[in-house]
Amino acid sequence: MTQEKLKELLQDMSLEEKVGQMIQLPADVLTGNGLVTGPTGTTQLTEDQIGMAGSVLGIKGAERLYELQKRQMEKQPHRIPMLFMLDVINGFETIFPIPLALGCTFSPELVKETCAIAAAEAAACGLHVTFSPMLDLVRDARWGRVMESPGEDPYLNSRMAEAMVEGYQGDLRRKDKVAACLKHFAGYGYPEGGRDYDNVELSERTFMEDYLPAYEAAVKKGCRLVMTSFNTLNRIPSSGNKWLLRKILRDKMGFQGVVISDYSAIEEMVFHGVAADAREAAKLGIEAGVDIDMVSNAYAGHLAELVRSGEVSEQLVDEAVLRILQLKNDLGLFEEPFRAVDSALAEKLLLREDFRQKARETAAASFVLLKNEGILPLKKTETIAWIGPFVENPELYGAWSFPEKPEETVTVRQGVEGKGLSHMTFAQGCYLMDPGCPTKYGRVINPCDEQADLWLREALEMAAASSRVVLCLGEHRDMSGEAGSRVSLGIPEGQMELLRKVRQVNPNIVTVLFCGRPLAVKEIAGLSRALLVAWMPGTEGGNAVADVLFGDRVPQGKLSMTFPRTLGQVPVYYNHLMTGRPNSPREIHLFKNGYMDEVTAPLYPFGYGLSYTEFSYSEVSLDRREMKAGETITASVTVTNTGDTDGVETVQLYIRDPAASVARPVRTLKGFRKVPLAAGESRKVSFSIEEPMLTFYDIDMNNTSEPGKFQVLIGGSSDTENGAEFVLV
Ligand code: GLC
């Protein structure tokens, strides 16, 4: 439809129709079931309002969506098609690693491919919009939603943002693409105490410097929707925050797409205490520029009346509705309301073999090898006991994955047996969760202790009789994700007991850790000769674990988020400030920055990850020592694989600005390159350094660079000291 036609349609619509386009229904209002992720206010809607609704979220299934679209359009005076939206954040039916693990691949290209697969599967099943990418920068592992983020670094998150938007979107008229919705705007990733939905207090400088870049990168890539966050940002709820949604998002970032609230977030402004009632919340939302009210009753219940009373200009409604109609038009829905729904195609696409292979490759690339005392890779001829609650657990996917066929997930046991290794032994060892453990859906009730005793006895006998033990331990998938904040960073005590007891009968332990967040793993690492973080690896998780442990694929992941030494260090992240009393990170000194009972260094820093080989770095060489704006310095290192097996190294470029008009982080990531190197091979790796990489928000909040000395650091982790100096004049 042309722009003119769109505007004519808008002019022909009644106020009720317009408001209907701004209402998003939860799945259960239309279908009686489906994904519900929080409290909703739309139960108060009339049948007419339900018929007028412009979109719905949380429904899967090509047939259902086809029928629903047909039914809904008949109720629409202008037969405007609905938008179908869903959280497809790391795969639709072929499930990929959680986004925090995708960040550990340091491979935007690979991540883009996974998003393109997710889009193809989702579109064939009738979906139009995915509530992804989630781009909240994260620094506090207590927060359950760190699993949804690419990690703690603005530069890495920005590259992942671009890759994800490109993977999902591309040309929206294509039948295998969906519109992307970045979230949660903004700053949701730093709630006080790591408590979900809590206040976020950030200086404007920190917000602009660290939290905004990834959202900005997604908008620059043409992301079509933005979702407002639940939290208050400096005491103002995002869904009513004009500074955030109009000054920053629309004016500064130039976003022209659709703004949708998070789940009930408009009406929740009453609970935040900035709106006396839902009517006032509706006024705040429309004035701030929220176009779609996700499942609250604010717009449905009050927006039309606010316009009729003259308290809200209809112009604001028209602008919002035009953006929504524009999105539907760009998706081709007016010409083809059933767009890509194709159950025959979906049947062929979902879990297609090449999609599964991509999931297997991505999972292996996302694993991070934190420790290896010469025990990995395992030999296929060895007698190995595979023990633990994750050996046969099919739920190897994150909290935001809802596969129709969970049985299609490859377990660790299936992955090992898939290699034809019949001499391996397998044991449960213990319950995944301890009796009485709180979960999001109630407390865990394990049937009987005798079972636990039986499992333990069997596991210890097996461990004693084997040359190696692989312990598969970790967090249940519901221990992270939304409403998954924890005051502990451990795994269930029953699993720790299993580890301690196995260690007494066999010290040759490889621990594989399944988790949705960085954990405090000092004891686990101390009792294991090797520690591999597998995160929540998805459909092909078991195959990927077997591939990496036997060396069929090399470990190449690098941490996208810091692993603390203890819970007490959190929040802990690499790009912190120097402070006026900098401490040696691994020593405790009186009257220096840090603690009296623990060093400040984390256990494993951002950017860290081992391989099955070793890499050495030459000194950093610069082709010049001085640079003006507009010029380029080339920084180079030669990286050598000094081991006897092939490997892949992620070479990381950091910049340090030791003296500026405001305190600057000890270093910031400004580039990375994945470099495959055969045993013994050397390769020169070069990065271009340009003035825009040196900009920051100065003492007057101007985004600018300042002349002076800089340091370039290049290595295989954020704690590299391999550097050289240059001057910006
Ligand atoms: C949830 C989440 C958001 C999700 C939305 C729809 O509460 O905060 O990330 O996209 O509701 O499910």
Side-chain angles (χ1 to χ4, degrees):
M1 199 187 280
T2 64
Q3 285 306 311
E4 282 325 297
K5 286 278 180 219
L6 275 183
K7 287 183 179 144
E8 283 168 21
L9 169 60
L10 179 65
Q11 275 148 21
D12 204 35
M13 289 165 72
S14 70
L15 181 56
E16 274 64 25
E17 264 190 281
K18 293 177 187 175
V19 171
Q21 288 299 308
M22 301 168 72
I23 296 169
Q24 177 163 89
L25 301 174
D28 56 338
V29 163
L30 286 181
T31 61
N33 54 39
L35 175 69
V36 175
T37 58
T40 72
T42 43
T43 44
Q44 306 158 41
L45 294 189
T46 63
E47 274 312 306
D48 275 354
Q49 285 176 316
I50 291 172
M52 292 286 190
S55 64
V56 64
L57 85 154
I59 299 177
K60 281 185 85 167
E63 308 285 344
R64 291 172 82 196
L65 290 175
Y66 186 93
E67 285 313 312
L68 191 59
Q69 187 70 291
K70 217 159 66 172
R71 204 171 72 218
Q72 282 294 105
M73 283 175 68
E74 281 152 15
K75 298 174 190 166
Q76 287 277 342
H78 288 85
R79 293 181 53 73
I80 300 174
M82 282 194 110
L83 279 172
F84 299 134
M85 306 192 191
L86 182 74
D87 296 277
V88 182
I89 75 157
N90 50 280
F92 179 74
E93 191 60 33
T94 305
I95 307 296
F96 295 99
I98 54 174
L100 191 64
L102 293 176
C104 295
T105 66
F106 275 73
S107 175
E109 266 319 298
L110 188 55
V111 172
K112 179 178 165 183
E113 289 180 75
T114 67
C115 293
I117 290 170
E121 289 190 343
C125 289
L127 285 162
H128 306 130
V129 175
T130 175
F131 295 130
S132 176
M134 189 274 213
L135 297 170
D136 305 327
L137 187 112
V138 288
R139 292 174 160 162
D140 188 331
R142 292 171 295 179
W143 190 50
R145 304 196 71 167
V146 300
M147 51 91 49
E148 302 176 48
S149 167
E152 73 182 48
D153 179 73
Y155 180 85
L156 176 63
N157 289 6
S158 300
R159 304 295 74 77
M160 290 296 163
E162 292 158 350
M164 291 175 172
V165 170
E166 281 192 310
Y168 290 129
Q169 285 189 175
D171 169 6
L172 278 191
R173 288 196 173 248
R174 279 181 46 168
K175 299 280 188 283
D176 59 352
K177 293 297 176 186
V178 293
C181 174
L182 78 84
K183 66 187 187 183
H184 303 83
F185 200 68
Y188 181 30
Y190 204 49
E192 275 173 37
R195 293 181 300 273
D196 208 352
Y197 317 116
D198 213 308
N199 180 49
V200 173
E201 206 75 38
L202 289 171
S203 70
E204 185 179 344
R205 176 173 285 103
T206 299
F207 175 69
M208 306 292 266
E209 198 92 43
D210 297 345
Y211 289 80
L212 205 64
Y215 302 130
E216 238 170 345
V219 167
K220 279 203 184 101
K221 266 299 165 191
C223 188
R224 295 302 306 267
L225 295 95
V226 169
M227 182 189 294
T228 63
S229 59
F230 288 122
N231 58 285
T232 43
L233 177 58
N234 303 325
R235 306 188 188 187
I236 301 169
S238 301
S239 303
N241 189 331
K242 279 186 195 166
W243 174 81
L244 186 65
L245 300 183
R246 291 195 184 277
K247 191 162 181 306
I248 299 298
L249 182 62
R250 299 275 184 206
D251 299 347
K252 173 178 163 50
M253 294 163 65
F255 179 66
Q256 297 177 345
V258 171
V259 174
I260 182 170
S261 77
D262 201 340
Y263 214 93
S264 296
I266 292 183
E267 206 158 340
E268 286 178 7
M269 287 196 273
V270 178
F271 294 119
H272 278 298
V274 299
D277 51 30
R279 183 178 189 278
E280 198 175 327
K283 187 167 184 294
L284 287 175
I286 187 69
E287 287 175 348
V290 180
D291 301 326
I292 296 179
D293 175 357
M294 185 192 288
V295 312
S296 102
N297 196 38
Y299 283 7
H302 306 284
L303 191 49
E305 185 264 321
L306 280 163
V307 170
R308 289 203 170 90
S309 70
E311 290 174 67
V312 166
S313 151
E314 187 158 2
Q315 172 69 20
L316 290 181
V317 170
D318 287 352
E319 286 167 4
V321 176
L322 189 58
R323 287 191 284 260
I324 296 164
L325 296 178
Q326 186 64 61
L327 176 60
K328 294 185 177 186
N329 195 41
D330 291 349
L331 283 158
L333 291 181
F334 288 108
E335 292 79 19
E336 291 188 80
F338 304 105
R339 190 169 177 259
V341 176
D342 180 337
S343 37
L345 173 63
E347 201 51 44
K348 282 189 286 192
L349 267 187
L350 301 189
L351 288 163
R352 203 171 69 186
E353 190 46 35
D354 57 328
F355 292 177
R356 295 190 76 127
Q357 287 312 310
K358 189 54 69 180
R360 182 169 180 166
E361 174 195 354
T362 309
S366 74
F367 296 165
V368 184
L369 184 59
L370 298 180
K371 177 180 180 182
N372 184 20
E373 286 172 348
I375 189 171
L376 289 179
L378 298 169
K379 295 181 181 61
K380 291 173 183 172
T381 51
E382 288 176 302
T383 52
I384 302 168
W386 300 75
I387 297 171
F390 275 89
V391 170
E392 305 207 35
N393 177 11
E395 290 192 324
L396 298 182
Y397 40 81
W400 277 102
S401 300
F402 316 96
E404 297 289 314
K405 300 179 181 171
E407 69 281 0
E408 286 287 341
T409 305
V410 178
T411 66
V412 172
R413 176 166 189 163
Q414 290 164 337
V416 174
E417 289 176 334
K419 292 188 180 287
L421 305 175
S422 55
H423 55 289
M424 303 288 165
T425 55
F426 304 90
Q428 170 81 7
C430 68
Y431 285 108
L432 201 168
M433 304 282 276
D434 298 335
C437 250
T439 74
K440 294 182 200 175
Y441 308 108
R443 289 194 170 276
V444 173
I445 301 161
N446 290 332
C448 63
D449 289 347
E450 296 74 58
Q451 180 58 72
D453 295 342
L454 267 176
W455 278 338
L456 181 59
R457 213 173 17 256
E458 175 199 30
L460 294 179
E461 282 161 16
M462 195 177 285
S466 305
S467 67
R468 303 271 189 257
V469 177
V470 176
L471 276 176
C472 296
L473 309 175
E475 286 184 310
H476 186 280
R477 65 185 286 264
D478 289 338
M479 291 171 75
S480 58
E482 184 173 355
S485 293
R486 297 177 62 204
V487 290
S488 149
L489 292 181
I491 62 175
E493 190 52 26
Q495 296 186 43
M496 289 305 296
E497 269 313 292
L498 174 68
L499 167 57
R500 295 178 192 119
K501 290 203 163 67
V502 168
R503 181 68 177 68
Q504 288 165 0
V505 299
N506 189 331
N508 299 316
I509 294 173
V510 173
T511 297
V512 181
L513 192 61
F514 296 87
C515 53
R517 55 164 45 89
L519 294 173
V521 296
K522 202 158 63 170
E523 184 184 2
I524 294 174
L527 293 173
S528 310
R529 285 185 58 193
L531 176 57
L532 180 78
V533 177
W535 305 108
M536 299 308 283
T539 305
E540 286 289 324
N543 278 332
V545 167
D547 288 346
V548 170
L549 292 189
F550 286 112
D552 295 337
R553 291 179 193 267
V554 292
Q556 55 180 286
K558 297 281 188 178
L559 287 179
S560 60
M561 189 174 178
T562 299
F563 266 62
R565 201 172 286 276
T566 63
L567 169 64
Q569 286 185 324
V570 168
V572 58
Y573 46 93
Y574 88 93
N575 46 355
H576 57 82
L577 301 188
M578 186 64 96
T579 80
R581 296 199 172 188
N583 206 340
S584 152
R586 285 180 178 70
E587 292 164 8
I588 295 176
H589 293 293
L590 213 47
F591 303 118
K592 292 278 188 180
N593 168 249
Y595 311 98
M596 61 186 292
D597 53 354
E598 185 55 279
V599 297
T600 54
L603 195 58
Y604 303 109
F606 173 85
Y608 172 87
L610 299 176
S611 172
Y612 288 155
T613 185
E614 306 279 324
F615 299 103
S616 70
Y617 282 73
S618 71
E619 288 182 358
V620 175
S621 75
L622 304 179
D623 65 347
R624 52 196 305 185
R625 292 283 173 173
E626 264 195 17
M627 166 172 101
K628 290 197 291 292
E631 295 177 340
T632 300
I633 288 182
T634 300
S636 305
V637 289
T638 297
V639 187
T640 302
N641 177 343
T642 56
D644 52 12
T645 50
D646 298 353
V648 180
E649 173 66 324
T650 300
V651 182
Q652 300 155 48
L653 167 74
Y654 294 88
I655 299 264
R656 173 182 286 158
D657 181 354
S661 57
V662 297
R664 305 279 299 121
V666 292
R667 60 192 63 192
T668 48
L669 181 72
K670 291 296 178 187
F672 56 82
R673 191 90 41 79
K674 293 199 79 156
V675 182
L677 287 171
E681 183 187 1
S682 291
R683 190 176 304 176
K684 183 175 178 184
V685 180
S686 298
F687 293 95
S688 297
I689 296 172
E690 285 148 8
E691 184 266 345
M693 294 160 71
L694 312 178
T695 60
F696 65 102
Y697 286 88
D698 72 2
I699 189 81
D700 300 316
M701 280 303 286
N702 302 311
N703 191 358
T704 179
S705 62
E706 294 174 349
K709 231 190 293 186
F710 289 85
Q711 203 180 10
V712 177
L713 298 149
I714 301 179
S717 173
S718 63
D719 59 1
T720 181
E721 286 305 333
N722 187 30
E725 279 188 5
F726 71 91
V727 177
L728 176 70
V729 294

